[in-house]
């Protein structure tokens, strides 16, 4: 599962997104393990990848015309 976490196609590029991705995955990993969820490692990675996909969908800043 650790190899899948650092796979380039699903890992964020920007440093602040990498930190967010890592923290979320760690929280999901520990939380799901504590709840004894089967295959918690993979579910944690899926959750982190969904967040990463959501971060990619954030709209670009709008340009305000100067008058």
């Amino acid at each position: 599962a650790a190899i899948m976490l650092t796979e380039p196609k699903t890992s964020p590029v920007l440093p602040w997104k990498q930190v967010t991705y890592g923290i979320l995955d760690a929280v999901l990993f520990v939380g799901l393990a504590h709840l004894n969820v089967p295959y918690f490692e993979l579910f944690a990675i899926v959750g982190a990848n969904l967040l990463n996909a959501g971060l990619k969908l954030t709209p670009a800043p709008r340009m305000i015309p100067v008058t």
Side-chain angles (χ1 to χ4, degrees), residues 13-63:
V13 178
L14 298 174
W16 72 271
K17 288 184 180 181
Q18 290 174 348
V19 170
T20 304
Y21 182 77
I23 290 171
L24 175 73
D25 190 58
V27 168
L28 286 172
F29 184 89
V30 171
L32 294 174
H34 180 71
L35 295 172
N36 294 323
V37 174
Y39 306 110
F40 64 91
E41 304 96 342
L42 295 177
F43 286 122
I45 291 174
V46 168
N49 285 339
L50 288 173
L51 172 79
N52 185 38
L55 290 175
K56 288 181 182 178
L57 296 176
T58 55
R62 297 174 75 169
M63 298 294 290

Side-chain angles (χ1 to χ4, degrees), residues 1-12 21 45 49 52 56:
I3 293 171
M4 293 172 64
L5 188 63
T6 60
E7 193 265 323
K9 286 188 178 182
T10 58
S11 297
Y21 182 77
I45 291 174
N49 285 339
N52 185 38
K56 288 181 182 178

